[in-house]
Amino acid sequence: MSDAELHALEGDFTIHTAAERYEQLGAALTRGCAAFDLSGIGDFDSAGLQLLLAARRTLAARGQTPVWSNPSSAVRSLLALYRLGTDLNPKESANV
């Protein structure tokens, strides 16, 4: 999979789903994904944020920069709360 292909992240990214989402995100990273569509994320808490930050560190270690696209309202809200919007730099779709 090329960097340009978006991998859709879906469902809740919370403390209750962190282990499952960790496995899914890890599998995507193993396949070479570096671009993620965040529009399908429902509930999103600090555990979900930690997963995205861990993915960013993994990609940085490979010399890649993650592309986070179409953040859901839950993702945008938490990034704003922690003032990390510019850190993760999610891209809004022109269609949103």
Side-chain angles (χ1 to χ4, degrees):
M1 176 174 282
S2 74
D3 288 355
E5 293 181 57
L6 284 179
H7 178 79
L9 298 180
E10 298 177 334
D12 295 340
F13 275 64
T14 66
I15 189 66
H16 303 291
T17 63
E20 179 182 349
R21 298 296 179 244
Y22 176 80
E23 294 297 324
Q24 292 171 347
L25 193 53
L29 292 170
T30 298
R31 289 191 310 272
C33 296
F36 300 91
D37 182 346
L38 309 179
S39 64
I41 294 178
D43 287 340
F44 188 74
D45 66 13
S46 58
L49 178 59
Q50 288 175 17
L51 291 174
L52 296 187
L53 293 172
R56 182 178 70 173
R57 283 190 303 273
T58 297
L59 290 167
R62 296 180 190 167
Q64 294 176 289
T65 301
V67 175
W68 312 106
S69 298
N70 311 316
S72 69
S73 61
V75 173
R76 285 193 310 270
S77 293
L78 195 71
L79 292 178
L81 177 68
Y82 286 109
R83 297 181 180 169
L84 291 173
T86 57
D87 250 18
L88 287 179
N89 199 23
K91 309 276 188 246
E92 297 289 342
S93 170
N95 299 327
V96 173

